Amino acid sequence: MAAVMRIVNRSALHSAMGQKYVAYSSAAKVSAAGVRAGQALPEKVKIVEVGPRDGLQNEKTMVPTETKIHLINMLSATGLGVIEATSFVSPKWVPQMADQVEVMEGICRKPGVSYPVLTPNLKGFQAAVKAGASEVAIFGAASELFSKKNINCSVDESLQRFDEVMKAAKEAGVPVRGYVSCVLGCPYEGKVAPEKVAHVAKRLYSMGCYEISLGDTIGVGTPGSMSEMLEAVSREVPVNALAVHCHDTYGQALANILVALQMGISVVDSSVAGLGGCPYAQGASGNVATEDVVYMLHGLGIQTGVDLSKLMDAGAFICRTLNRKTSSKVAQATCKL
Amino acid sequence: MADHTDVLRGIQRAPHVRYPVLTPNMQGFQDAVAAGATEVAVFGSASETFSKKNINCSIDESMLRFEEVINTAKERQIPVRGYVSCALGCPHEGHMEPSKVSEVAKRLYEMGCYEISLGDTIGVGTPGSMFKMLQSVMKEVPAHALAVHCHDTYGQALPNILTALQMGVCVVDSAVAGLGGCPYAQGSSGNVSTEDILYMLHGMGIETGVNLAKVIEAGDFICNALRRKTNSKVAQARGRTL
């Protein structure tokens, strides 16, 4: 598949304070791109709600255990099929997730809903299973520097650590999801080669991960880089085993998700109320808001099974508790249609 | 906008840059020309109720007013741009039929507007409704004469713009720092931020000729002056670009 757009611009440009006009034209690219716009999109999209883990982990305020449990229970009532509940990373590194066992044991599990947890190593995996986890997730980085700075080892070393987790998970019949971070850019290395992302995704998939979530960790991606990266990865991992985890730090998340859908992806990670800022860009936003993703998907006629108004209730609850404004534009808008 | 004459007379016009102004009727048009305007814009609505509530007349009546303006502008060789509001939804009528939008767009185009800017006035559109609306409008107005004016009230502006680009639209309206809230949704955002659009377009290899850093500076300036935070995510995250 071709990249979404290429450089072609001939028209004069006009700009004025308050408004700007962009001129772009390319006859050949237009007709190809027109096909893309009308392309069949997935009928259904699975949303993986990462607010309670990825979201709360990156919020400045520490959240009491009861609040986390209540949030997860509210999310369970929205129709979401997957809610990432907590992380079994050592509390030394992620104090926000220190109550991992209490949360796992405290939530009301809705039948048919999965509550995966992060497990960085065998010890974490064992603790997770003991606390009742029936699905786990592991994570590799597409960037060597990020891997070293984030978890103190190379990408290869991290994948070797996960071998143990994979073995134990297989024996216990526990499905494992793989995350790849920095797929569209790294805060240290800058650009990340699509082939590198494909390599790590392939390894995780071959190790036995049933799904690979491709994360634009610092939100720098655009439809251009998303398209290139997915082309490379889908040569190595079947598209129905891929998910996108877009951050909205530069406001690009929904456009990137749309392109991913156009390329056959049907699993999208997001965070209620857009919980979780970006640790690499002070004051900037992080995760894309589930409400905004659901609004777009429903507007496209795509089924998600999610009740948007119940989702907004959950978002309102956690924002009140955290004493913060929602990052979801849909939640902010009061216009009734 | 009471100081329109002072503004138009006070700015330093850069060569090759155009400074269109809105002119709702003949009076406004004449004042604009007297103040030095060399391009004007008129605005119709796809929704009858919105037209009546916003400018106190029906769509048909507004078209008559604009015809006067457009004909006079033609004589003076002043280009006219046409806006169609509520292209993807109306705060009063709700869902907007694509055929209503194409009807108004066609009328404005045939009257002599060189370009029609289709506005998602309350930002409720999604790539789904954008696609259907543009399919309909493009039967009446050629793609090269169309622009999209997306509001980001529901966070949908960028995917909507992407859809429009994929369908051959190549003119995009946006506002520096996302200035301008939504009068129909208290506390919500309105216009999409120029900085965020530029970031997307440049990331896709599309040239705009616009210097993003300078737009961010302009955004900083106006936000400081207004004592408000920018609505642009790119401006908020700046300093971390690759």
Side-chain angles (χ1 to χ4, degrees):
Chain A
M1 261 189 250
V4 176
M5 302 285 182
R6 295 221 193 104
I7 298 173
V8 181
N9 181 26
R10 294 184 304 264
S11 306
L13 296 156
H14 317 281
S15 76
M17 188 74 159
Q19 284 202 317
K20 172 191 75 62
Y21 302 96
V22 167
Y24 152 81
S25 65
S26 161
K29 290 296 160 275
V30 157
S31 56
V35 168
R36 180 70 67 82
Q39 199 137 318
L41 296 173
E43 272 178 24
K44 289 187 183 162
V45 162
K46 177 176 81 175
I47 302 234
V48 174
E49 171 60 48
V50 300
R53 199 280 306 170
D54 193 9
L56 293 184
Q57 182 175 305
N58 284 298
E59 286 288 321
K60 282 176 265 174
T61 322
M62 289 283 274
V63 175
T65 308
E66 312 78 57
T67 304
K68 286 180 187 154
I69 290 171
H70 189 68
L71 172 64
I72 294 170
N73 290 343
M74 284 186 86
L75 291 169
S76 295
T78 62
L80 285 162
V82 185
I83 301 166
E84 200 174 63
T86 186
S87 170
F88 281 78
V89 174
S90 162
K92 201 172 52 166
W93 302 116
V94 186
Q96 299 94 323
M97 300 281 124
D99 56 359
Q100 56 212 197
V101 175
E102 292 92 327
V103 168
M104 281 314 281
E105 291 178 352
I107 56 176
C108 292
R109 294 190 200 217
K110 182 149 191 242
V113 179
S114 180
Y115 300 89
V117 300
L118 236 61
T119 51
N121 48 40
L122 188 60
K123 185 164 168 228
F125 174 80
Q126 286 159 346
V129 170
K130 188 161 172 228
S134 45
E135 181 177 332
V136 301
I138 60 174
F139 46 93
S143 149
E144 283 295 346
L145 262 178
F146 187 84
S147 188
K148 291 206 175 96
K149 293 217 179 209
N150 212 36
I151 53 175
N152 220 11
C153 63
S154 73
V155 173
D156 275 342
E157 283 163 351
S158 75
L159 294 175
Q160 270 163 29
R161 277 185 205 174
F162 293 134
D163 253 337
E164 290 186 301
V165 175
M166 294 307 305
K167 272 203 191 93
K170 260 188 206 140
E171 281 166 26
V174 172
V176 183
R177 190 188 207 226
Y179 279 100
V180 183
S181 46
C182 295
V183 302
L184 298 178
C186 169
Y188 312 109
E189 284 185 12
K191 270 199 89 167
V192 172
E195 294 67 38
K196 189 76 201 267
V197 182
H199 171 75
V200 178
K202 183 181 183 178
R203 293 251 338 241
L204 287 166
Y205 188 66
S206 323
M207 276 159 63
C209 291
Y210 76 91
E211 189 171 273
I212 311 298
S213 173
L214 304 162
D216 180 13
T217 307
I218 48 172
V220 289
T222 63
S225 53
M226 172 63 86
S227 184
E228 263 187 330
M229 182 275 294
L230 284 177
E231 267 186 73
V233 175
S234 56
R235 284 196 281 264
E236 308 292 344
V237 179
V239 83
N240 62 0
L242 293 175
V244 289
H245 183 114
C246 297
H247 279 199
D248 205 37
T249 320
Y250 288 77
Q252 308 295 305
L254 285 176
N256 291 345
I257 289 166
L258 179 60
V259 163
L261 295 173
Q262 290 173 339
M263 293 180 74
I265 303 285
S266 59
V267 183
V268 176
D269 300 359
S270 58
S271 173
V272 62
L275 290 179
C278 179
Y280 303 96
Q282 183 124 31
S285 61
N287 285 304
V288 67
T290 305
E291 298 92 317
D292 299 0
V293 174
V294 168
Y295 185 90
M296 180 175 81
L297 294 174
H298 289 181
L300 280 164
I302 294 173
Q303 290 169 41
T304 63
V306 177
D307 180 327
L308 180 54
S309 84
K310 286 188 178 166
L311 183 61
M312 288 201 278
D313 287 344
F317 161 74
I318 193 63
C319 288
R320 264 195 317 269
T321 317
L322 288 172
N323 202 21
R324 63 159 269 174
K325 271 183 77 178
T326 181
S327 291
S328 156
K329 291 219 163 172
V330 168
Q332 283 167 36
T334 51
C335 187
K336 303 271 180 286
L337 196 71
Chain B
M1 300 283 122
D3 55 0
H4 38 61
T5 302
D6 296 330
V7 168
L8 214 44
R9 291 200 180 141
I11 54 175
Q12 275 167 323
R13 300 192 196 206
H16 309 303
V17 178
R18 290 154 73 156
Y19 300 89
V21 300
L22 238 61
T23 53
N25 48 38
M26 275 309 293
Q27 182 67 57
F29 176 79
Q30 281 153 356
D31 292 344
V33 172
T38 47
E39 179 173 333
V40 300
V42 297
F43 46 94
S45 167
S47 152
E48 277 295 350
T49 316
F50 189 83
S51 188
K52 290 201 178 103
K53 293 210 177 214
N54 211 37
I55 53 174
N56 221 13
C57 63
S58 70
I59 296 176
D60 278 345
E61 285 163 348
S62 71
M63 292 293 140
L64 288 173
R65 282 185 206 172
F66 300 146
E67 212 167 14
E68 237 197 311
V69 171
I70 294 170
N71 288 339
T72 315
K74 261 185 208 155
E75 286 165 24
R76 311 200 47 169
Q77 296 187 314
I78 289 176
V80 183
R81 190 186 207 228
Y83 282 93
V84 181
S85 50
C86 297
L88 296 178
C90 169
H92 315 292
E93 290 184 15
H95 172 72
M96 193 51 45
E97 268 306 312
S99 55
K100 284 196 177 162
V101 184
S102 32
E103 207 184 293
V104 177
K106 180 183 183 180
R107 283 176 78 174
L108 287 167
Y109 187 64
E110 285 175 352
M111 284 195 310
C113 292
Y114 76 91
E115 190 171 271
I116 310 299
S117 173
L118 304 162
D120 181 12
T121 307
I122 48 171
V124 289
T126 62
S129 52
M130 172 64 85
F131 180 76
K132 285 185 190 143
M133 185 274 292
L134 284 176
Q135 260 193 324
S136 178
V137 175
M138 284 177 176
K139 288 186 195 136
E140 312 292 348
V141 181
H144 68 82
L146 291 175
V148 288
H149 184 114
C150 296
H151 279 195
D152 205 38
T153 319
Y154 289 76
Q156 309 295 306
L158 263 76
N160 290 345
I161 289 164
L162 178 61
T163 300
L165 294 172
Q166 289 178 338
M167 291 176 78
V169 172
C170 52
V171 183
V172 176
D173 300 1
S174 58
V176 64
L179 289 179
C182 178
Y184 302 95
Q186 183 126 28
S188 291
S189 60
N191 285 305
V192 66
S193 305
T194 302
E195 298 91 318
D196 298 0
I197 300 291
L198 284 174
Y199 186 89
M200 180 175 82
L201 295 171
H202 293 176
M204 289 163 67
I206 297 173
E207 288 175 30
T208 63
V210 182
N211 181 320
L212 175 55
K214 288 193 175 169
V215 176
I216 294 178
E217 263 178 53
D220 276 349
F221 162 75
I222 193 62
C223 288
N224 281 337
L226 288 171
R227 281 194 218 176
R228 62 160 275 178
K229 271 183 77 178
T230 180
N231 276 336
S232 157
K233 290 216 163 173
V234 168
Q236 283 167 38
R238 73 182 153 198
R240 299 281 180 253
T241 46
L242 295 177

